[in-house]
Amino acid sequence: LRKHIAEARLCRIMLNTPVFIRQGVAGYCCEDPIYDELMEKLFGCMGMAIKLEDGDPFEAFTVASSSGTAFIFELMTYWQDWIEEHGIDPDLARQIAVHTFLGSAKLAEQSEDKLVDLQARVTSKKGVTAVGLESMRSLEIEGLLRLSFNKAAQRYRELGQKS
C-alpha cells in the first residue's frame, strides 16, 4: 500500500476468529496515533482492541492470538480424542473438552491471580494433577510449543518479505 499510496496514513490490524462472537482480540498499530481512538471504537466492540508496536510485538500477537486460536483448537482436539478413547461419547467428550477450556479461561479472566497461582490451587503434592504436570514438563511441552510459535513467526516474516 505504501508503494501505491505514499501519502496514506496506514494502520495494521489483525483479528482472531472469536471476534465473530464478540470475544476476540484485535491487535492494531497505526503510523499516526490520531487513529488510535477510532481503532478502539471500531474493534473494541468485538471483544478487546490492543494497541501494539509494529515489528516484533505485532508479530508475536499475530502468532499467539490470531494463529493461537487454531493452536488452542488443536489442544482441544487432543483433549476430546483422549476422553473418547476412554469410552465417552464423542459429543459429550467435545462438551467436556470445550467446557474445561472455557471454564479455565473464565476463571483466569475473573481472577487477578497469576496463572501459575491458579494452577497451584488445583495441584496437590503427589496427586493426579502433579503427576500429569510433571510428565508434561519432563516432555518439555513448553519447548515444543515455543518451537511451534517460532516456526509460525518465521513464516509470518517470510510472507511479509514477499509483499
mmCIF file of all heavy atoms in Angstrom, residues 21-61:
data_model
loop_
_atom_site.group_PDB
_atom_site.id
_atom_site.type_symbol
_atom_site.label_atom_id
_atom_site.label_comp_id
_atom_site.label_asym_id
_atom_site.label_seq_id
_atom_site.Cartn_x
_atom_site.Cartn_y
_atom_site.Cartn_z
ATOM 1 N N ILE A 21 -17.966 -13.786 17.782
ATOM 2 C CA ILE A 21 -18.896 -13.896 18.909
ATOM 3 C C ILE A 21 -18.592 -12.811 19.953
ATOM 4 O O ILE A 21 -18.955 -12.945 21.114
ATOM 5 C CB ILE A 21 -18.869 -15.306 19.540
ATOM 6 C CG1 ILE A 21 -17.477 -15.650 20.070
ATOM 7 C CG2 ILE A 21 -19.373 -16.349 18.550
ATOM 8 C CD1 ILE A 21 -17.448 -16.839 21.002
ATOM 9 N N ARG A 22 -17.925 -11.765 19.542
ATOM 10 C CA ARG A 22 -17.578 -10.614 20.400
ATOM 11 C C ARG A 22 -16.748 -11.011 21.616
ATOM 12 O O ARG A 22 -16.867 -10.427 22.678
ATOM 13 C CB ARG A 22 -18.824 -9.860 20.818
ATOM 14 C CG ARG A 22 -19.526 -9.228 19.639
ATOM 15 C CD ARG A 22 -20.681 -8.396 20.052
ATOM 16 N NE ARG A 22 -21.242 -7.774 18.857
ATOM 17 C CZ ARG A 22 -22.239 -6.950 18.886
ATOM 18 N NH1 ARG A 22 -22.796 -6.609 20.020
ATOM 19 N NH2 ARG A 22 -22.696 -6.427 17.771
ATOM 20 N N GLN A 23 -15.905 -12.022 21.421
ATOM 21 C CA GLN A 23 -14.999 -12.470 22.476
ATOM 22 C C GLN A 23 -13.564 -12.499 21.972
ATOM 23 O O GLN A 23 -12.719 -13.170 22.553
ATOM 24 C CB GLN A 23 -15.402 -13.872 22.962
ATOM 25 C CG GLN A 23 -16.739 -13.923 23.650
ATOM 26 C CD GLN A 23 -16.711 -13.174 24.978
ATOM 27 O OE1 GLN A 23 -15.841 -13.374 25.805
ATOM 28 N NE2 GLN A 23 -17.684 -12.290 25.170
ATOM 29 N N GLY A 24 -13.297 -11.788 20.910
ATOM 30 C CA GLY A 24 -11.998 -11.850 20.282
ATOM 31 C C GLY A 24 -11.062 -10.743 20.709
ATOM 32 O O GLY A 24 -11.352 -9.943 21.597
ATOM 33 N N VAL A 25 -9.935 -10.731 20.041
ATOM 34 C CA VAL A 25 -8.914 -9.719 20.274
ATOM 35 C C VAL A 25 -8.502 -9.158 18.923
ATOM 36 O O VAL A 25 -8.247 -9.910 17.984
ATOM 37 C CB VAL A 25 -7.680 -10.297 20.992
ATOM 38 C CG1 VAL A 25 -6.692 -9.207 21.341
ATOM 39 C CG2 VAL A 25 -8.075 -11.076 22.235
ATOM 40 N N ALA A 26 -8.455 -7.848 18.846
ATOM 41 C CA ALA A 26 -7.965 -7.160 17.654
ATOM 42 C C ALA A 26 -6.693 -6.423 18.048
ATOM 43 O O ALA A 26 -6.707 -5.595 18.952
ATOM 44 C CB ALA A 26 -9.010 -6.178 17.142
ATOM 45 N N GLY A 27 -5.618 -6.752 17.402
ATOM 46 C CA GLY A 27 -4.368 -6.035 17.611
ATOM 47 C C GLY A 27 -4.195 -5.040 16.481
ATOM 48 O O GLY A 27 -4.510 -5.342 15.329
ATOM 49 N N TYR A 28 -3.716 -3.856 16.814
ATOM 50 C CA TYR A 28 -3.520 -2.853 15.766
ATOM 51 C C TYR A 28 -2.293 -2.001 16.070
ATOM 52 O O TYR A 28 -1.857 -1.875 17.206
ATOM 53 C CB TYR A 28 -4.758 -1.964 15.619
ATOM 54 C CG TYR A 28 -4.972 -1.012 16.770
ATOM 55 C CD1 TYR A 28 -4.421 0.272 16.743
ATOM 56 C CD2 TYR A 28 -5.703 -1.383 17.884
ATOM 57 C CE1 TYR A 28 -4.599 1.143 17.814
ATOM 58 C CE2 TYR A 28 -5.895 -0.522 18.947
ATOM 59 C CZ TYR A 28 -5.329 0.739 18.900
ATOM 60 O OH TYR A 28 -5.502 1.605 19.951
ATOM 61 N N CYS A 29 -1.728 -1.460 15.011
ATOM 62 C CA CYS A 29 -0.685 -0.445 15.140
ATOM 63 C C CYS A 29 -0.905 0.556 14.011
ATOM 64 O O CYS A 29 -1.199 0.184 12.877
ATOM 65 C CB CYS A 29 0.711 -1.040 15.118
ATOM 66 S SG CYS A 29 1.130 -2.018 13.676
ATOM 67 N N CYS A 30 -0.828 1.823 14.370
ATOM 68 C CA CYS A 30 -1.073 2.902 13.417
ATOM 69 C C CYS A 30 0.160 3.786 13.316
ATOM 70 O O CYS A 30 0.840 4.036 14.317
ATOM 71 C CB CYS A 30 -2.257 3.758 13.868
ATOM 72 S SG CYS A 30 -3.817 2.847 13.906
ATOM 73 N N GLU A 31 0.407 4.250 12.112
ATOM 74 C CA GLU A 31 1.521 5.174 11.923
ATOM 75 C C GLU A 31 1.273 6.498 12.629
ATOM 76 O O GLU A 31 2.200 7.150 13.066
ATOM 77 C CB GLU A 31 1.744 5.424 10.419
ATOM 78 C CG GLU A 31 2.223 4.209 9.675
ATOM 79 C CD GLU A 31 2.341 4.436 8.175
ATOM 80 O OE1 GLU A 31 1.735 5.389 7.642
ATOM 81 O OE2 GLU A 31 3.045 3.648 7.545
ATOM 82 N N ASP A 32 0.020 6.871 12.726
ATOM 83 C CA ASP A 32 -0.337 8.136 13.358
ATOM 84 C C ASP A 32 -1.266 7.844 14.532
ATOM 85 O O ASP A 32 -2.350 7.290 14.350
ATOM 86 C CB ASP A 32 -1.047 9.038 12.335
ATOM 87 C CG ASP A 32 -1.242 10.456 12.818
ATOM 88 O OD1 ASP A 32 -1.313 10.664 14.054
ATOM 89 O OD2 ASP A 32 -1.332 11.360 11.965
ATOM 90 N N PRO A 33 -0.868 8.236 15.758
ATOM 91 C CA PRO A 33 -1.702 7.938 16.930
ATOM 92 C C PRO A 33 -3.076 8.600 16.906
ATOM 93 O O PRO A 33 -3.945 8.240 17.699
ATOM 94 C CB PRO A 33 -0.876 8.458 18.109
ATOM 95 C CG PRO A 33 0.295 9.153 17.565
ATOM 96 C CD PRO A 33 0.376 8.892 16.094
ATOM 97 N N ILE A 34 -3.300 9.495 15.970
ATOM 98 C CA ILE A 34 -4.609 10.135 15.867
ATOM 99 C C ILE A 34 -5.714 9.111 15.588
ATOM 100 O O ILE A 34 -6.882 9.345 15.885
ATOM 101 C CB ILE A 34 -4.587 11.249 14.787
ATOM 102 C CG1 ILE A 34 -5.795 12.160 14.942
ATOM 103 C CG2 ILE A 34 -4.525 10.663 13.400
ATOM 104 C CD1 ILE A 34 -5.709 13.428 14.120
ATOM 105 N N TYR A 35 -5.335 7.947 15.047
ATOM 106 C CA TYR A 35 -6.308 6.915 14.699
ATOM 107 C C TYR A 35 -6.551 5.899 15.814
ATOM 108 O O TYR A 35 -7.415 5.033 15.685
ATOM 109 C CB TYR A 35 -5.887 6.186 13.422
ATOM 110 C CG TYR A 35 -5.885 7.107 12.236
ATOM 111 C CD1 TYR A 35 -4.701 7.532 11.658
ATOM 112 C CD2 TYR A 35 -7.082 7.576 11.707
ATOM 113 C CE1 TYR A 35 -4.699 8.404 10.584
ATOM 114 C CE2 TYR A 35 -7.097 8.448 10.625
ATOM 115 C CZ TYR A 35 -5.898 8.857 10.079
ATOM 116 O OH TYR A 35 -5.902 9.718 9.023
ATOM 117 N N ASP A 36 -5.822 6.007 16.904
ATOM 118 C CA ASP A 36 -5.962 5.033 17.988
ATOM 119 C C ASP A 36 -7.381 4.979 18.538
ATOM 120 O O ASP A 36 -7.937 3.895 18.752
ATOM 121 C CB ASP A 36 -4.975 5.337 19.120
ATOM 122 C CG ASP A 36 -3.531 5.071 18.718
ATOM 123 O OD1 ASP A 36 -3.303 4.469 17.649
ATOM 124 O OD2 ASP A 36 -2.636 5.484 19.476
ATOM 125 N N GLU A 37 -7.980 6.107 18.776
ATOM 126 C CA GLU A 37 -9.342 6.129 19.321
ATOM 127 C C GLU A 37 -10.327 5.482 18.353
ATOM 128 O O GLU A 37 -11.213 4.722 18.756
ATOM 129 C CB GLU A 37 -9.773 7.572 19.632
ATOM 130 C CG GLU A 37 -11.098 7.652 20.353
ATOM 131 C CD GLU A 37 -11.483 9.080 20.724
ATOM 132 O OE1 GLU A 37 -10.599 9.956 20.838
ATOM 133 O OE2 GLU A 37 -12.694 9.302 20.884
ATOM 134 N N LEU A 38 -10.163 5.748 17.069
ATOM 135 C CA LEU A 38 -11.018 5.135 16.053
ATOM 136 C C LEU A 38 -10.855 3.614 16.062
ATOM 137 O O LEU A 38 -11.846 2.878 16.006
ATOM 138 C CB LEU A 38 -10.690 5.695 14.667
ATOM 139 C CG LEU A 38 -11.435 5.067 13.497
ATOM 140 C CD1 LEU A 38 -12.941 5.288 13.614
ATOM 141 C CD2 LEU A 38 -10.899 5.618 12.180
ATOM 142 N N MET A 39 -9.629 3.130 16.158
ATOM 143 C CA MET A 39 -9.382 1.685 16.192
ATOM 144 C C MET A 39 -10.045 1.060 17.415
ATOM 145 O O MET A 39 -10.660 -0.009 17.323
ATOM 146 C CB MET A 39 -7.880 1.384 16.213
ATOM 147 C CG MET A 39 -7.132 1.793 14.957
ATOM 148 S SD MET A 39 -7.633 0.840 13.516
ATOM 149 C CE MET A 39 -8.566 2.069 12.629
ATOM 150 N N GLU A 40 -9.949 1.741 18.560
ATOM 151 C CA GLU A 40 -10.587 1.241 19.786
ATOM 152 C C GLU A 40 -12.105 1.147 19.606
ATOM 153 O O GLU A 40 -12.724 0.162 20.013
ATOM 154 C CB GLU A 40 -10.260 2.148 20.973
ATOM 155 C CG GLU A 40 -8.807 2.117 21.396
ATOM 156 C CD GLU A 40 -8.393 0.836 22.081
ATOM 157 O OE1 GLU A 40 -9.252 0.154 22.679
ATOM 158 O OE2 GLU A 40 -7.195 0.507 22.019
ATOM 159 N N LYS A 41 -12.713 2.151 18.989
ATOM 160 C CA LYS A 41 -14.159 2.147 18.779
ATOM 161 C C LYS A 41 -14.579 1.081 17.771
ATOM 162 O O LYS A 41 -15.565 0.376 17.966
ATOM 163 C CB LYS A 41 -14.634 3.518 18.310
ATOM 164 C CG LYS A 41 -14.657 4.551 19.415
ATOM 165 C CD LYS A 41 -15.151 5.882 18.906
ATOM 166 C CE LYS A 41 -15.155 6.917 20.016
ATOM 167 N NZ LYS A 41 -15.556 8.242 19.555
ATOM 168 N N LEU A 42 -13.829 0.967 16.690
ATOM 169 C CA LEU A 42 -14.186 0.013 15.644
ATOM 170 C C LEU A 42 -14.040 -1.433 16.096
ATOM 171 O O LEU A 42 -14.883 -2.272 15.787
ATOM 172 C CB LEU A 42 -13.315 0.230 14.399
ATOM 173 C CG LEU A 42 -13.640 1.419 13.517
ATOM 174 C CD1 LEU A 42 -12.582 1.566 12.432
ATOM 175 C CD2 LEU A 42 -15.007 1.264 12.882
ATOM 176 N N PHE A 43 -12.966 -1.725 16.798
ATOM 177 C CA PHE A 43 -12.646 -3.116 17.089
ATOM 178 C C PHE A 43 -12.875 -3.519 18.539
ATOM 179 O O PHE A 43 -12.975 -4.705 18.839
ATOM 180 C CB PHE A 43 -11.217 -3.426 16.649
ATOM 181 C CG PHE A 43 -11.038 -3.258 15.175
ATOM 182 C CD1 PHE A 43 -10.400 -2.141 14.661
ATOM 183 C CD2 PHE A 43 -11.556 -4.189 14.286
ATOM 184 C CE1 PHE A 43 -10.258 -1.963 13.294
ATOM 185 C CE2 PHE A 43 -11.427 -4.017 12.921
ATOM 186 C CZ PHE A 43 -10.780 -2.912 12.424
ATOM 187 N N GLY A 44 -12.998 -2.562 19.450
ATOM 188 C CA GLY A 44 -13.249 -2.882 20.852
ATOM 189 C C GLY A 44 -14.567 -3.592 21.065
ATOM 190 O O GLY A 44 -14.704 -4.415 21.966
ATOM 191 N N CYS A 45 -15.545 -3.310 20.223
ATOM 192 C CA CYS A 45 -16.864 -3.948 20.360
ATOM 193 C C CYS A 45 -16.828 -5.425 19.975
ATOM 194 O O CYS A 45 -17.790 -6.160 20.200
ATOM 195 C CB CYS A 45 -17.897 -3.209 19.516
ATOM 196 S SG CYS A 45 -17.592 -3.287 17.754
ATOM 197 N N MET A 46 -15.724 -5.889 19.430
ATOM 198 C CA MET A 46 -15.591 -7.289 19.032
ATOM 199 C C MET A 46 -14.943 -8.130 20.130
ATOM 200 O O MET A 46 -14.663 -9.303 19.923
ATOM 201 C CB MET A 46 -14.774 -7.393 17.752
ATOM 202 C CG MET A 46 -15.425 -6.746 16.572
ATOM 203 S SD MET A 46 -14.347 -6.888 15.140
ATOM 204 C CE MET A 46 -15.286 -5.969 13.941
ATOM 205 N N GLY A 47 -14.689 -7.518 21.248
ATOM 206 C CA GLY A 47 -14.019 -8.187 22.364
ATOM 207 C C GLY A 47 -13.100 -7.192 23.028
ATOM 208 O O GLY A 47 -13.493 -6.455 23.912
ATOM 209 N N MET A 48 -11.878 -7.137 22.543
ATOM 210 C CA MET A 48 -10.938 -6.130 23.026
ATOM 211 C C MET A 48 -10.005 -5.722 21.898
ATOM 212 O O MET A 48 -9.704 -6.507 21.009
ATOM 213 C CB MET A 48 -10.153 -6.634 24.249
ATOM 214 C CG MET A 48 -9.117 -7.660 23.945
ATOM 215 S SD MET A 48 -8.258 -8.389 25.397
ATOM 216 C CE MET A 48 -7.839 -7.024 26.387
ATOM 217 N N ALA A 49 -9.605 -4.463 21.932
ATOM 218 C CA ALA A 49 -8.661 -3.926 20.952
ATOM 219 C C ALA A 49 -7.395 -3.550 21.699
ATOM 220 O O ALA A 49 -7.451 -2.933 22.762
ATOM 221 C CB ALA A 49 -9.247 -2.711 20.249
ATOM 222 N N ILE A 50 -6.256 -3.945 21.140
ATOM 223 C CA ILE A 50 -4.980 -3.713 21.791
ATOM 224 C C ILE A 50 -4.051 -2.982 20.834
ATOM 225 O O ILE A 50 -3.815 -3.445 19.709
ATOM 226 C CB ILE A 50 -4.320 -5.035 22.201
ATOM 227 C CG1 ILE A 50 -5.208 -5.791 23.174
ATOM 228 C CG2 ILE A 50 -2.945 -4.792 22.809
ATOM 229 C CD1 ILE A 50 -4.710 -7.170 23.499
ATOM 230 N N LYS A 51 -3.519 -1.857 21.293
ATOM 231 C CA LYS A 51 -2.533 -1.120 20.507
ATOM 232 C C LYS A 51 -1.176 -1.776 20.708
ATOM 233 O O LYS A 51 -0.762 -2.054 21.838
ATOM 234 C CB LYS A 51 -2.473 0.337 20.944
ATOM 235 C CG LYS A 51 -1.450 1.127 20.157
ATOM 236 C CD LYS A 51 -1.379 2.565 20.588
ATOM 237 C CE LYS A 51 -0.314 3.265 19.728
ATOM 238 N NZ LYS A 51 -0.329 4.688 19.919
ATOM 239 N N LEU A 52 -0.497 -2.040 19.607
ATOM 240 C CA LEU A 52 0.806 -2.696 19.638
ATOM 241 C C LEU A 52 1.823 -1.896 18.833
ATOM 242 O O LEU A 52 1.449 -1.151 17.923
ATOM 243 C CB LEU A 52 0.707 -4.096 19.030
ATOM 244 C CG LEU A 52 -0.249 -5.065 19.704
ATOM 245 C CD1 LEU A 52 -0.605 -6.196 18.773
ATOM 246 C CD2 LEU A 52 0.370 -5.585 20.987
ATOM 247 N N GLU A 53 3.057 -2.089 19.159
ATOM 248 C CA GLU A 53 4.126 -1.544 18.330
ATOM 249 C C GLU A 53 4.272 -2.440 17.116
ATOM 250 O O GLU A 53 4.066 -3.657 17.197
ATOM 251 C CB GLU A 53 5.448 -1.497 19.105
ATOM 252 C CG GLU A 53 5.443 -0.543 20.282
ATOM 253 C CD GLU A 53 5.280 0.914 19.865
ATOM 254 O OE1 GLU A 53 5.880 1.316 18.844
ATOM 255 O OE2 GLU A 53 4.538 1.636 20.553
ATOM 256 N N ASP A 54 4.639 -1.847 15.994
ATOM 257 C CA ASP A 54 4.901 -2.629 14.793
ATOM 258 C C ASP A 54 6.159 -3.457 15.032
ATOM 259 O O ASP A 54 6.940 -3.175 15.923
ATOM 260 C CB ASP A 54 5.062 -1.705 13.584
ATOM 261 C CG ASP A 54 4.839 -2.431 12.265
ATOM 262 O OD1 ASP A 54 4.463 -3.622 12.280
ATOM 263 O OD2 ASP A 54 5.042 -1.804 11.217
ATOM 264 N N GLY A 55 6.367 -4.478 14.245
ATOM 265 C CA GLY A 55 7.556 -5.304 14.384
ATOM 266 C C GLY A 55 7.290 -6.505 15.273
ATOM 267 O O GLY A 55 6.250 -7.153 15.170
ATOM 268 N N ASP A 56 8.225 -6.798 16.164
ATOM 269 C CA ASP A 56 8.155 -7.996 16.993
ATOM 270 C C ASP A 56 6.872 -8.091 17.824
ATOM 271 O O ASP A 56 6.263 -9.160 17.871
ATOM 272 C CB ASP A 56 9.397 -8.094 17.890
ATOM 273 C CG ASP A 56 9.600 -9.487 18.442
ATOM 274 O OD1 ASP A 56 9.463 -10.462 17.678
ATOM 275 O OD2 ASP A 56 9.890 -9.600 19.646
ATOM 276 N N PRO A 57 6.400 -7.008 18.489
ATOM 277 C CA PRO A 57 5.156 -7.141 19.251
ATOM 278 C C PRO A 57 3.953 -7.515 18.373
ATOM 279 O O PRO A 57 3.145 -8.361 18.756
ATOM 280 C CB PRO A 57 4.971 -5.754 19.886
ATOM 281 C CG PRO A 57 6.344 -5.204 19.984
ATOM 282 C CD PRO A 57 7.043 -5.717 18.751
ATOM 283 N N PHE A 58 3.854 -6.917 17.191
ATOM 284 C CA PHE A 58 2.728 -7.227 16.309
ATOM 285 C C PHE A 58 2.837 -8.658 15.792
ATOM 286 O O PHE A 58 1.833 -9.384 15.699
ATOM 287 C CB PHE A 58 2.664 -6.222 15.150
ATOM 288 C CG PHE A 58 1.335 -6.207 14.448
ATOM 289 C CD1 PHE A 58 0.273 -5.480 14.961
ATOM 290 C CD2 PHE A 58 1.136 -6.939 13.294
ATOM 291 C CE1 PHE A 58 -0.967 -5.478 14.328
ATOM 292 C CE2 PHE A 58 -0.094 -6.937 12.648
ATOM 293 C CZ PHE A 58 -1.153 -6.205 13.172
ATOM 294 N N GLU A 59 4.052 -9.076 15.484
ATOM 295 C CA GLU A 59 4.279 -10.454 15.040
ATOM 296 C C GLU A 59 3.889 -11.442 16.142
ATOM 297 O O GLU A 59 3.206 -12.431 15.886
ATOM 298 C CB GLU A 59 5.757 -10.632 14.682
ATOM 299 C CG GLU A 59 6.157 -12.042 14.340
ATOM 300 C CD GLU A 59 7.651 -12.157 14.105
ATOM 301 O OE1 GLU A 59 8.158 -11.555 13.133
ATOM 302 O OE2 GLU A 59 8.302 -12.862 14.898
ATOM 303 N N ALA A 60 4.323 -11.166 17.370
ATOM 304 C CA ALA A 60 4.001 -12.055 18.494
ATOM 305 C C ALA A 60 2.495 -12.134 18.701
ATOM 306 O O ALA A 60 1.947 -13.214 18.945
ATOM 307 C CB ALA A 60 4.696 -11.568 19.768
ATOM 308 N N PHE A 61 1.825 -11.005 18.591
ATOM 309 C CA PHE A 61 0.367 -11.000 18.721
ATOM 310 C C PHE A 61 -0.264 -11.874 17.644
ATOM 311 O O PHE A 61 -1.160 -12.665 17.924
ATOM 312 C CB PHE A 61 -0.187 -9.573 18.629
ATOM 313 C CG PHE A 61 -1.677 -9.551 18.612
ATOM 314 C CD1 PHE A 61 -2.392 -9.615 19.794
ATOM 315 C CD2 PHE A 61 -2.378 -9.501 17.412
ATOM 316 C CE1 PHE A 61 -3.781 -9.627 19.789
ATOM 317 C CE2 PHE A 61 -3.760 -9.512 17.393
ATOM 318 C CZ PHE A 61 -4.464 -9.574 18.581
#
